[in-house]
């Protein structure tokens, strides 16, 4: 059944505590749909005003959105997206207003930003909270396979950070002032564009894109 139409490359659906639906569009807008989810409110929940032209605009933008576990009280939510200028991937925290029908202006806090200019493809961008209260997010290797094996490079990885953006010192490759990118939790990924944290089992499932040789490459779900 078709409930609502007119979206621009929607990438994420999630629900507020009061059952209103949020729909994120790749181009940088998050819309609110109250039940029965047929019409979006005229004012967006978030408008990033991204201006990413051409083919890049079909793969850069909002990748994922997740609410803070304590969203009802702190109004925090998190967005992984590709910024237009500077053209870099980032994970940011935003703060919704008291009525949860919009976002407080100037509330963005950048928790992670890729140090290099974004490639058109392979951004990853999945975001989840684990049972340990940490944020697990994924990054693509930006179509350069060597990035995925490089522990000094954040691309092609699964990362683990505190909700304030700081890095837990018990991460497996944490070396403080050393050369490693300390938030890396797992590496060797290509374009981990979706992930799901299963709270009852504590398992993180990561969907990764296969290679370009179609005779040997397969889409994967990694545990």
């Amino acid at each position: 059944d078709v409930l609502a139409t007119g979206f621009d490359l929607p990438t994420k659906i999630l629900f507020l505590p009061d059952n209103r639906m949020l729909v994120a569009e790749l181009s940088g807008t998050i819309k609110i749909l109250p039940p029965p989810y047929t019409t979006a409110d005229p004012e967006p929940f978030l408008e990033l005003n991204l201006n990413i032209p051409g083919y890049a605009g079909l793969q850069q933008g909002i990748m994922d959105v997740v609410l803070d576990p304590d969203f009802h009280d702190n109004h925090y939510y998190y967005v992984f997206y590709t910024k237009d200028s500077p053209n870099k991937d980032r994970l940011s925290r935003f703060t919704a207003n008291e009525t949860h029908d919009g976002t407080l202006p100037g509330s963005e806090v950048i928790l992670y930003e890729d140090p290099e200019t974004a490639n058109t493809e392979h951004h990853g961008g999945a975001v989840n909270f684990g049972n340990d209260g940490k944020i697990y997010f994924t990054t693509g290797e930006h179509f350069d396979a060597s990035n995925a094996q490089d522990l000094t490079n954040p691309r092609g990885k699964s990362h683990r950070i505190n909700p304030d953006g700081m890095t837990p010192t018990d991460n497996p490759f944490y070396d403080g002032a050393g050369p490693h990118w300390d938030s890396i939790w797992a590496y060797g990924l290509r374009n981990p564009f979706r992930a799901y944290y299963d709270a009852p089992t504590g398992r993180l499932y990561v969907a990764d894109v296969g290679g370009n040789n179609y005779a040997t490459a397969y889409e994967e779900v990694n545990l």
Side-chain angles (χ1 to χ4, degrees):
D1 294 335
V2 176
L3 291 177
T5 61
F7 297 107
D8 183 11
L9 295 174
T11 54
K12 177 71 174 187
I13 290 175
L14 69 160
F15 290 88
L16 295 170
D18 63 5
N19 292 323
R20 285 177 296 168
M21 178 193 290
L22 298 181
V23 177
E25 299 175 330
L26 185 71
S27 54
T29 303
I30 301 178
K31 296 179 177 178
I32 307 177
L33 284 78
Y37 315 120
T38 57
T39 305
D41 286 349
E43 293 297 321
F45 187 72
L46 176 69
E47 180 57 79
L48 293 174
N49 295 310
L50 300 180
N51 182 24
I52 302 173
Y55 183 67
L58 296 178
Q59 301 205 31
Q60 294 186 19
I62 294 180
M63 303 295 175
D64 203 1
V65 184
V66 66
L67 303 181
D68 191 279
D70 197 27
F71 174 80
H72 186 273
D73 294 322
N74 62 25
H75 316 300
Y76 291 160
Y77 68 98
Y78 306 81
V79 182
F80 190 105
Y81 72 102
T82 309
K83 177 70 174 169
D84 48 0
S85 181
N87 186 214
K88 296 181 178 181
D89 288 345
R90 62 171 57 165
L91 172 64
S92 289
R93 187 189 77 204
F94 294 86
T95 304
N97 59 25
E98 289 290 333
T99 53
H100 297 165
D101 59 4
T103 299
L104 296 179
S107 66
E108 180 177 11
V109 176
I110 300 171
L111 305 182
Y112 160 84
E113 184 168 273
D114 190 296
E116 301 178 56
T117 299
N119 190 291
T120 299
E121 302 179 57
H122 289 195
H123 301 272
V127 187
N128 288 267
F129 269 87
N131 289 340
D132 55 3
K134 312 300 184 185
I135 297 175
Y136 293 80
F137 69 94
T138 62
T139 56
E141 34 78 296
H142 290 244
F143 223 89
D144 182 346
S146 64
N147 289 334
Q149 299 293 332
D150 184 355
L151 290 176
T152 69
N153 188 304
R155 296 179 168 185
K157 313 295 194 300
S158 174
H159 296 260
R160 177 177 179 257
I161 61 173
N162 295 320
D164 61 1
M166 299 298 290
T167 302
T169 57
D170 61 346
N171 278 2
F173 305 105
Y174 183 92
D175 61 357
H180 291 170
W181 196 278
D182 290 336
S183 62
I184 294 172
W185 184 255
Y187 66 105
L189 300 169
R190 189 171 194 246
N191 183 24
F193 68 106
R194 285 288 184 270
Y196 173 74
Y197 187 87
D198 184 59
T201 62
R203 292 170 173 166
L204 179 66
Y205 296 91
V206 178
D208 201 4
V209 172
N212 288 350
N213 182 344
Y214 300 134
T216 59
Y218 296 91
E219 307 293 283
E220 298 176 349
V221 178
N222 295 302
L223 175 60

